[in-house]
């Protein structure tokens, strides 16, 4: 049993016609019919009653079609989860920096971010510490670089081409 076979079964149930279902699934009608026949043989039952003018769903076929819809919905959720996980670095990243640090860090950071995450939109906000802290806590910024009671230093390591955060 494959997801394609389940898609074909659902399409036939929806269309009540093998030819139209095949068109909706972008396959030939013989290929769709063969896949459904294979599934019916695997299950040991008929999903559809066929005659020249119409296709009707058997009672057990309706139960299987209902479950096939659930399975296909769940499979779509898996794809969505994968897409969300894959697209994390495609979401906008807003970085807040204080005026005195921005001219020194941005020329180092931006090329790295563009290389590692070329599709990630970068929004830069330069402002005073108080405003950046409020915006960071409020969720308006993804990250902030400020100097306060905690002295933050970013060091550029030529050997491994990374920005490293050190707090002291």
């Amino acid at each position: 049993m494959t997801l394609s076979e389940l898609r074909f079964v659902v399409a036939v149930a929806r269309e009540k016609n093998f030819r139209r279902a095949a068109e909706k699934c972008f396959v030939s009608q013989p290929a769709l019919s063969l896949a459904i026949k294979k599934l019916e043989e695997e299950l040991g039952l008929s999903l559809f009653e066929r005659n020249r003018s119409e296709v009707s769903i058997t009672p057990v076929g309706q139960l299987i079609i209902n479950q096939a819809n659930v399975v296909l919905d769940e499979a779509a959720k898996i794809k969505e989860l994968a897409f969300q996980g894959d697209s994390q670095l495609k979401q906008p990243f807003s970085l807040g920096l204080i005026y005195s640090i921005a001219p020194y860090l941005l020329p180092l950071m931006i090329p790295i971010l563009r290389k590692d995450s070329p599709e990630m939109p970068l929004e830069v906000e330069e402002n005073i510490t108080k405003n950046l802290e409020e915006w960071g806590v409020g969720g308006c910024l993804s990250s902030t670089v400020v100097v306060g009671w905690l002295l933050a230093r970013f060091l550029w390591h030529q050997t491994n081409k990374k920005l490293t955060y050190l707090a002291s």
Side-chain angles (χ1 to χ4, degrees):
M1 179 180 324
T2 67
L3 291 176
S4 293
E5 291 168 346
L6 295 179
R7 281 187 196 97
F8 296 164
V9 166
V10 169
V12 170
R14 188 179 326 111
E15 297 297 322
K16 304 280 194 268
N17 182 287
F18 277 74
R19 183 187 51 77
R20 285 193 308 267
E23 288 172 2
K24 298 278 184 182
C25 294
F26 303 102
V27 297
S28 69
Q29 186 271 324
L32 180 128
S33 293
L34 187 64
I36 290 176
K37 185 77 171 157
K38 179 179 168 270
L39 179 61
E40 288 176 326
E41 287 174 4
E42 180 181 337
L43 297 174
L45 52 84
S46 291
L47 301 170
F48 302 102
E49 295 291 334
R50 303 157 172 92
N51 65 41
R52 289 238 178 245
S53 61
E54 65 178 28
V55 174
S56 60
I57 304 167
T58 64
V60 71
Q62 187 60 59
L63 295 173
I64 291 170
I65 289 162
N66 293 345
Q67 190 60 41
N69 278 312
V70 171
V71 169
L72 293 172
D73 288 344
E74 292 300 315
K77 288 179 186 175
I78 291 171
K79 285 185 179 182
E80 182 60 31
L81 289 172
F83 174 74
Q84 289 173 358
D86 182 47
S87 67
Q88 287 180 356
L89 294 179
K90 295 177 185 174
Q91 302 299 317
F93 183 80
S94 54
L95 177 64
L97 298 104
I98 58 175
Y99 294 112
S100 59
I101 294 177
Y104 302 101
L105 287 181
L106 288 176
L108 301 174
M109 294 173 74
I110 290 175
I112 295 169
L113 290 171
R114 288 291 160 243
K115 179 179 174 258
D116 292 346
S117 306
E119 296 180 33
M120 180 178 66
L122 177 63
E123 301 164 357
V124 176
E125 176 66 42
E126 291 182 76
N127 214 301
I128 61 174
T129 300
K130 181 178 182 260
N131 291 342
L132 293 174
E133 287 174 342
E134 288 173 10
W135 296 337
V137 170
C140 297
L141 296 171
S142 304
S143 184
T144 58
V145 179
V146 296
V147 176
W149 64 270
L150 176 66
L151 175 62
R153 296 180 300 167
F154 284 87
L155 299 178
W156 173 251
H157 293 279
Q158 291 292 341
T159 55
N160 60 9
K161 303 280 190 230
K162 284 187 172 179
L163 286 175
T164 304
Y165 171 77
L166 297 177
S168 57

